[in-house]
Amino acid sequence: MARADVDDRRFETPKGLRRSAPFRGSGDRDRFGRFTEWVARAMGTPWFLLGLTLFVIFWMVWNTFAPEAWRFDSIELGFIALTLVLSLQASYAAPLILLAQNRQDDRDRVQIEQDRQRAERNLADTEYLAREVVALRLAVKDLASKEFIRAELKAIVEELDRRDEEEGAERAASASAS
């Protein structure tokens, strides 16, 4: 019964909120990659440097001032065990950081490709809109302006007035002839 509750909760919770630790989850194939990114992020913090510094200071103080029976590293030999621990930490940290950088490079490559495609679409849209603006300008250029319409109406009115005058003159001539 408890197993069913856990499964139900997984489907109710958004995917990004489900995991809290780098190795959590059962069927995730990318756990190690997330772990490497978690390590790289953790090692790049001031808290990590402060913790490592305190660890080294504690190690050196303990192996210098603690009773001889409690010491596990010798100051006379140059803290060989401390050097070994720090070398081991560095030898694992460097490849993990490189793996995290490779994953980031892959994400950047995908992002760059998406940006390129978006830029191509934007360019195509811009070119289309520029062609449409030119077509609208040409269409507006062909449209009659107020001045053109006024001039045409004035010419028509003058033509009608001239016809009226001619018809009036013809009526007057035919009336005088009759």
Side-chain angles (χ1 to χ4, degrees):
M1 185 67 182
R3 181 81 175 151
D5 291 340
V6 170
D7 289 341
D8 290 341
R9 186 182 47 200
R10 276 193 4 201
F11 288 120
E12 291 173 357
T13 308
K15 186 175 181 181
L17 301 177
R18 269 191 259 170
R19 64 175 187 260
S20 59
F23 279 119
R24 240 177 154 165
S26 58
D28 194 3
R29 297 170 48 207
D30 204 29
R31 280 186 269 167
F32 187 72
R34 281 196 319 273
F35 172 73
T36 61
E37 289 177 342
W38 177 78
V39 168
R41 268 192 304 274
M43 292 184 121
T45 63
W47 293 111
F48 175 79
L49 293 174
L50 178 67
L52 187 61
T53 302
L54 291 175
F55 172 77
V56 169
I57 290 171
F58 176 76
W59 184 294
M60 294 172 80
V61 168
W62 179 268
N63 287 301
T64 303
F65 298 115
E68 192 71 35
W70 291 359
R71 294 181 192 174
F72 50 87
D73 200 6
S74 172
I75 191 172
E76 290 85 20
L77 298 176
F79 296 114
I80 293 176
L82 176 62
T83 304
L84 179 65
V85 167
L86 292 176
S87 297
L88 186 64
Q89 181 265 338
S91 68
Y92 277 97
L96 289 176
I97 291 170
L98 288 175
L99 285 171
Q101 286 177 343
N102 287 341
R103 284 174 49 92
Q104 185 61 45
D105 288 343
D106 292 342
R107 277 196 300 272
D108 289 345
R109 208 171 293 113
V110 168
Q111 184 65 39
I112 287 169
E113 179 62 24
Q114 289 173 348
D115 289 346
R116 186 189 64 74
Q117 290 172 353
R118 193 174 304 116
E120 285 178 357
R121 283 193 309 268
N122 287 342
L123 180 62
D125 290 346
T126 303
E127 288 174 351
Y128 170 76
L129 290 174
R131 287 191 302 271
E132 289 297 313
V133 166
V134 167
L136 285 173
R137 282 185 179 169
L138 292 174
V140 167
K141 189 177 179 182
D142 290 341
L143 289 179
S145 65
K146 283 185 194 179
E147 292 79 24
F148 176 76
I149 293 173
R150 282 189 185 137
E152 289 295 313
L153 287 174
K154 194 173 188 181
I156 291 173
V157 168
E158 289 174 358
E159 178 70 24
L160 289 174
D161 287 343
R162 187 183 55 78
R163 280 187 189 171
D164 285 343
E165 288 175 4
E166 287 176 1
E167 285 177 8
E170 283 178 13
R171 277 190 210 148
S174 62
S176 58
S178 1

